[in-house]
C-alpha cells in the first residue's frame, strides 16, 4: 500500500510528526519534494530532533528512507544532518538512499538565491538555501543530478569552483544513490509512505503564485518525485493545523489583525511554538481558513485529514474559523487565484465555543469535550473530508487515531 502525506496549508502543519508516527507501519519512507528549506520537528520521549532533508521515518531502526527524484540535495546540509543523527545515537548506516535523478544544490546557487530575492521589489521571503535556483537550473536543463556525478563530460561543463566543491562528496553520494523506480518495483508489496514538503498552498502551480515554493508540494508530486505512476497511490492524507500560519510574504486572508488581535496572535504563536525550524523566523498566524483547506482537499484528492495543534485552543473561551471571504463587497466561497483578491480579502468568521479543558489526557476521540468534537465535525462537513487523526501534543503518543490510513 502506498500512502501520501502532504501539508494542506502553507507548510509547517506538523507533517514531520505525522510521518514519524505513521512510519511505524511502513517499510519505506520516501520524501518526494523540496530540499533543506523544509523543517520537520520530531519529539520522541521528550527528545526533540529537527530534520531538513532526511525523511522523518529515520528514527525507526528497521525503516528505509529515500530522498526522492523531486528533491534538491545540498551535500553539506545532508551530511551535517546525518552526522547530527549519528551523534545523537541514531544509526543510519545502510538505511538512507538518494534517487539518482535528484538534483544537487551547489554553493553558488545559494548566493544567487539570496541576491535575487533581495533585489526583488517585493521579496518572496525565501529561506536562502538555493532551492529555487536549483529548480530553475533543473528547468533550464543546466542542473546536475546524482546520476551525472559519474559522467565526466558533464562534470567538465561545471565551473572549477563547482567541481572543487563536489569532489569530496561524489563517492559518498554515489554510495547512497538508487534507481528509485526499480527499487520500488522490486518491493511492490511493501508499505510505502510518501512524505511531502512545504504545503499544498505553496505548490508552484496550485499555490499562491508567485509566493510559493519551487517544487511540487501537491499530492501529484508524490507520483513524479517518488518515481511511481499516479494510479499506484492508494491514499492521500492532508495535514492541517487548527489555525493558519505562514512564513514569509504572500497572502494569508485569515491573518490576525496586528492591532486589535495582537494578543491572540502572540498567544497562538507562543503556545504553538510558531517559529520556523529552518529560519527561526516567527510565523504569521491567523484563524483556520476553511476556504483554502477545502480547496486543498479538492485539488489534491485528499482522502482524509490530519488535524494538529488542536490543544493550542484548550484555554480559550471561544474560537473562530474563516468560512468565506468578503472581496470588494462580494461574498466569495472559493479560493481565488488572484493575489490581489486574496490580499484584499476580509475573512467571514464563524464563532465556536471553547472547551476549556486540556486535551492532552484524552486517549480516544470519544474522550474529547463535546465542544472540541463539534469544531472537528464542522470542519469535516465543510470540507466534505473526514478527519481521521487528531494530534494534541508534540510527542508521538499525543496522537488520536480515529481510522488508520493503512486501511483501504
Amino acid at each position: 500500500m502506498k500512502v501520501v502525506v502532504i501539508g494542506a496549508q502553507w507548510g509547517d502543519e506538523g507533517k514531520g510528526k505525522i510521518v514519524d508516527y505513521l512510519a511505524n507501519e511502513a517499510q519505506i519512507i520516501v520524501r518526494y519534494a523540496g530540499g533543506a528549506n523544509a523543517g520537520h520537528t520530531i519529539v520522541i520521549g521528550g527528545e526533540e530532533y529537527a530534520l531538513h532533508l532526511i525523511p522523518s521515518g529515520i528514527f525507526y531502526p528497521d525503516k528505509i528512507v529515500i530522498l526522492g527524484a523531486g528533491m534538491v540535495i545540498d551535500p553539506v546540509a545532508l551530511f551535517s544532518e546525518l552526522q547530527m543523527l549519528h551523534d545523537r545515537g541514531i544509526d543510519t548506516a545502510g538505511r538512507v538512499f538518494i534517487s539518482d535523478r535528484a538534483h544537487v544544490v551547489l554553493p553558488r546557487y545559494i548566493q544567487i538565491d539570496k541576491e535575487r530575492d533581495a533585489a526583488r521589489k517585493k521579496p518572496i521571503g525565501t529561506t536562502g538555501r538555493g532551492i529555487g535556483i536549483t529548480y530553475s537550473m533543473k528547468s533550464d536543463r543546466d542542473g546536475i543530478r546524482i546520476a551525472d556525478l559519474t559522467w565526466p563530460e558533464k562534470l567538465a561543463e561545471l565551473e572549477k569552483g563547482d567541481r572543487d566543491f563536489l569532489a569530496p562528496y561524489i563517492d559518498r553520494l554515489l554510495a547512497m544513490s538508487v534507481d528509485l523506480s526499480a527499487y520500488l518495483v522490486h518491493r511492490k508489496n511493501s508499505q510505502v509512505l510518501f512524505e511531502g514538503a512545504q504545503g499544498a498552498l505553496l505548490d508552484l502551480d496550485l499555490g499562491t503564485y508567485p509566493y510559493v515554493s519551487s517544487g511540487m508540494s501537491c499530492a501529484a508530486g508524490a507520483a513524479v518525485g517518488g518515481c511511481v505512476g499516479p494510479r499506484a497511490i492508494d491514499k492521500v492524507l492532508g495535514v492541517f493545523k487548527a489555525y493558519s500560519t505562514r512564513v514569509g510574504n504572500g497572502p494569508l486572508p485569515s491573518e490576525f489583525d496586528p492591532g486589535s488581535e495582537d494578543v491572540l496572535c502572540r498567544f497562538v504563536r507562543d503556545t504553538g511554538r510558531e517559529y520556523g525550524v529552518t529560519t527561526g523566523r516567527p510565523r504569521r498566524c491567523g484563524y483556520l481558513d476553511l476556504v483554502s483547506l477545502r480547496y486543498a482537499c479538492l485539488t489534491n484528492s485528499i482522502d482524509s485529514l490530519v488535524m494538529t495543534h488542536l490543544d493550542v485552543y484548550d484555554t480559550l473561551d471561544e474560537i473562530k474559523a474563516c468560512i468565506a471571504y468578503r472581496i470588494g463587497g462580494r461574498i466569495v466561497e472559493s479560493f481565488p487565484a488572484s493575489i490581489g483578491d486574496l490580499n484584499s480579502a476580509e475573512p467571514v468568521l464563524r464563532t465556536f465555543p471553547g472547551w476549556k479543558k486540556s486535551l492532552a489526557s484524552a486517549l480516544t476521540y470519544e474522550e474529547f469535550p463535546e465542544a472540541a468534537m463539534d469544531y472537528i465535525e464542522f470542519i469535516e462537513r465543510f470540507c466534505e473530508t473526514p478527519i481521521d487523526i487528531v494530534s494534541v501534543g508534540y510527542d508521538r503518543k499525543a496522537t488520536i487515531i480515529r481510522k488508520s490510513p493503512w486501511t483501504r
Side-chain angles (χ1 to χ4, degrees):
M1 190 171 180
K2 295 178 174 63
V3 174
V4 176
V5 176
I6 67 166
Q9 294 167 307
W10 284 274
D12 309 309
E13 302 94 346
K15 296 180 297 298
K17 175 200 168 170
I18 299 306
V19 170
D20 170 74
Y21 186 91
L22 297 178
N24 182 46
E25 296 187 54
Q27 283 84 48
I28 302 168
I29 299 89
V30 179
R31 164 95 178 269
Y32 65 82
N37 57 333
H40 294 162
T41 301
I42 312 295
V43 180
I44 304 169
E47 285 285 313
E48 187 170 306
Y49 302 83
L51 298 179
H52 301 278
L53 283 166
I54 306 297
S56 302
I58 192 64
F59 298 104
Y60 294 93
D62 58 337
K63 311 301 180 184
I64 297 296
V65 301
I66 305 175
L67 284 67
M71 289 189 67
V72 292
I73 312 300
D74 179 342
V76 175
L78 173 63
F79 291 109
S80 173
E81 196 164 305
L82 287 170
Q83 185 62 49
M84 177 274 293
L85 290 169
H86 177 268
D87 292 345
R88 298 186 66 177
I90 308 299
D91 183 11
T92 64
R95 298 197 294 120
V96 182
F97 297 97
I98 308 171
S99 167
D100 55 10
R101 288 177 165 82
H103 278 245
V104 179
V105 179
L106 298 174
R108 63 185 172 92
Y109 297 172
I110 297 173
Q111 188 59 35
I112 294 170
D113 189 5
K114 294 176 180 177
E115 292 172 355
R116 182 173 294 182
D117 202 46
R120 288 187 170 102
K121 290 183 179 180
K122 292 185 177 180
I124 292 171
T126 75
T127 59
R129 298 297 197 275
I131 306 304
I133 302 303
T134 309
Y135 278 117
S136 294
M137 298 296 282
K138 174 181 178 178
S139 297
D140 288 342
R141 288 151 293 182
D142 290 321
I144 184 163
R145 305 172 303 161
I146 298 295
D148 300 332
L149 299 177
T150 63
W151 185 8
E153 292 83 0
K154 181 63 178 180
L155 292 174
E157 295 175 4
L158 297 176
E159 296 179 8
K160 182 179 183 302
D162 296 337
R163 294 196 299 272
D164 291 344
F165 166 75
L166 287 170
Y169 294 111
I170 289 177
D171 289 343
R172 297 173 73 184
L173 290 169
L174 290 175
M176 299 167 67
S177 73
V178 64
D179 179 337
L180 181 53
S181 177
Y183 186 92
L184 293 179
V185 164
H186 292 310
R187 294 158 181 81
K188 60 184 179 182
N189 294 323
S190 296
Q191 302 269 68
V192 183
L193 193 59
F194 291 91
E195 176 183 12
Q198 287 80 51
L201 301 178
L202 292 175
D203 181 77
L204 188 60
D205 293 299
L206 300 176
T208 51
Y209 185 91
Y211 301 99
V212 293
S213 188
S214 300
M216 294 182 70
S217 52
C218 60
V224 179
C227 295
V228 296
R231 287 189 292 178
I233 303 299
D234 295 294
K235 191 168 289 188
V236 177
L237 274 64
V239 185
F240 76 102
K241 280 188 285 211
Y243 47 90
S244 299
T245 65
R246 181 166 194 157
V247 171
N249 297 325
L252 184 62
S254 63
E255 187 168 14
F256 296 134
D257 183 275
S260 62
E261 296 172 327
D262 180 60
V263 173
L264 178 60
C265 181
R266 284 189 282 112
F267 169 81
V268 170
R269 180 180 291 146
D270 293 342
T271 306
R273 301 196 294 187
E274 297 298 346
Y275 297 88
V277 178
T278 300
T279 64
R281 289 181 291 186
R283 296 173 185 143
R284 297 158 59 195
C285 300
Y287 300 108
L288 174 61
D289 186 340
L290 290 174
V291 179
S292 65
L293 182 60
R294 179 169 58 190
Y295 168 78
C297 290
L298 291 171
T299 54
N300 291 275
S301 295
I302 292 175
D303 295 291
S304 69
L305 288 163
V306 180
M307 187 180 204
T308 66
H309 288 67
L310 183 59
D311 53 302
V312 169
Y313 281 153
D314 282 353
T315 62
L316 298 186
D317 293 324
E318 63 178 30
I319 56 180
K320 297 178 182 180
C322 171
I323 58 170
Y325 305 141
R326 185 174 288 105
I327 302 174
R330 298 179 296 115
I331 297 298
V332 176
E333 297 180 338
S334 60
F335 191 70
S338 167
I339 298 301
D341 283 349
L342 287 170
N343 281 337
S344 64
E346 299 175 14
V348 176
L349 301 174
R350 174 167 175 148
T351 301
F352 301 82
W355 41 91
K356 304 289 287 182
K357 180 181 178 182
S358 173
L359 299 177
S361 60
L363 299 177
T364 66
Y365 179 71
E366 289 68 29
E367 295 177 50
F368 279 9
E370 185 176 349
M373 291 194 286
D374 287 344
Y375 182 54
I376 290 169
E377 288 160 19
F378 178 85
I379 296 167
E380 291 181 312
R381 292 192 299 272
F382 190 96
C383 296
E384 299 182 345
T385 308
I387 297 174
D388 287 341
I389 301 175
V390 183
S391 170
V392 292
Y394 294 96
D395 206 279
R396 275 179 185 165
K397 62 184 180 181
T399 310
I400 306 297
I401 305 293
R402 301 176 69 192
K403 181 181 177 181
S404 170
W406 297 109
T407 57
R408 293 184 184 274

